[in-house]
């Protein structure tokens, strides 16, 4: 493992919810062409449906992330828009501790007409990289315990850092 890549993408929150909704609307517009026989309506529906599909895929394919080049000890915080990653490489400070902690809380989404209104207990697993400073240099949030521990173990091994699990 020469590189660590963390993608921060959740299709059930924020603007990512709009992606599948716009794709669904595009599919409805495309299917409606079979219902209408008017040539102008068919052309408009194809254009609107196709445009909605492209926009929905564009939204789903956009996310934030962090790459760590373990051989060069550098970090790249980026914004990926349709596969193009924008950001800057920076030097990674010497990491002495890789720590995983669990955090449980009740998540409630406020009804706003766009986001689903799910609520319930959520447990997140935070992977934090510490240098000599008491504040974490980088933090990554995982939904699954096994994945957080696996990634923390790999990072600790490659960065010659101590691994602390506080679960």
């Amino acid at each position: 493992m020469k590189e660590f890549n963390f993608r921060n993408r959740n299709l059930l929150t924020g603007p990512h919810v709009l992606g599948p909704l716009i794709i669904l609307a595009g599919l409805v517009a495309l299917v409606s062409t079979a219902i209408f026989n008017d040539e102008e309506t068919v052309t408009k529906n194809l254009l609107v449906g196709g445009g909605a599909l492209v926009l929905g895929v564009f939204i789903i394919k956009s996310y934030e992330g962090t790459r760590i080049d373990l051989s060069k000890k550098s970090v790249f915080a980026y914004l990926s828009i349709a596969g193009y990653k924008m950001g800057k490489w920076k030097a990674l400070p010497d990491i002495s501790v890789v720590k995983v902690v669990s955090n449980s809380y009740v998540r409630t989404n406020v009804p706003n007409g766009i986001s689903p209104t799910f609520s319930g207990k959520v447990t997140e697993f935070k992977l934090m990289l510490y240098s000599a400073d008491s504040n974490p240099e980088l933090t990554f949030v995982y939904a699954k315990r096994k994945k957080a521990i696996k990634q923390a173990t790999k990072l600790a091994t490659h960065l010659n850092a101590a691994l602390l699990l506080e679960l």
Side-chain angles (χ1 to χ4, degrees):
M1 178 171 118
K2 294 181 182 181
E3 191 173 277
F4 172 82
N5 190 12
F6 176 78
R7 295 180 188 125
N8 187 13
R9 176 174 32 189
N10 185 352
L11 295 177
L12 296 177
T13 61
H16 286 110
V17 173
L18 289 176
L21 293 176
I22 291 173
I23 289 173
L24 182 63
L27 290 173
V28 168
L30 290 174
V31 168
S32 69
T33 58
I35 298 170
F36 300 110
N37 293 327
D38 184 18
E39 193 170 306
E40 287 183 30
T41 307
V42 170
T43 304
K44 288 179 185 177
N45 285 351
L46 288 175
L47 289 173
V48 169
L53 287 175
V54 169
L55 180 62
V57 169
F58 186 76
I59 290 172
I60 288 175
K61 289 289 198 175
S62 299
Y63 59 90
E64 293 178 340
T66 303
R67 286 173 49 191
I68 299 174
D69 187 331
L70 298 168
S71 59
K72 295 180 182 177
K73 304 280 190 205
S74 57
V75 63
F76 180 67
Y78 64 86
L79 173 64
S80 176
I81 298 177
Y84 179 73
K85 294 177 175 74
M86 297 176 285
K88 280 188 170 181
W89 284 100
K90 295 180 182 176
L92 180 67
D94 288 331
I95 301 299
S96 57
V97 176
V98 176
K99 184 184 210 182
V100 178
V101 297
S102 64
N103 180 29
S104 295
Y105 60 93
V106 176
R107 176 185 290 166
T108 304
N109 289 353
V110 178
N112 61 9
I114 297 173
S115 300
T117 55
F118 301 129
S119 65
K121 185 177 180 183
V122 176
T123 301
E124 295 178 334
F125 301 93
K126 293 184 180 182
L127 187 161
M128 298 177 282
L129 304 179
Y130 288 91
S131 63
D133 192 11
S134 62
N135 294 328
E137 297 291 335
L138 295 168
T139 302
F140 308 110
V141 180
Y142 291 94
K144 297 184 180 178
R145 176 186 170 127
K146 282 185 179 181
K147 186 166 185 178
I149 293 172
K150 181 180 177 183
Q151 296 299 331
T153 304
K154 287 180 181 180
L155 282 171
T157 301
H158 285 84
L159 295 171
N160 296 323
L163 176 61
L164 296 176
L165 301 176
E166 296 180 7
L167 304 171

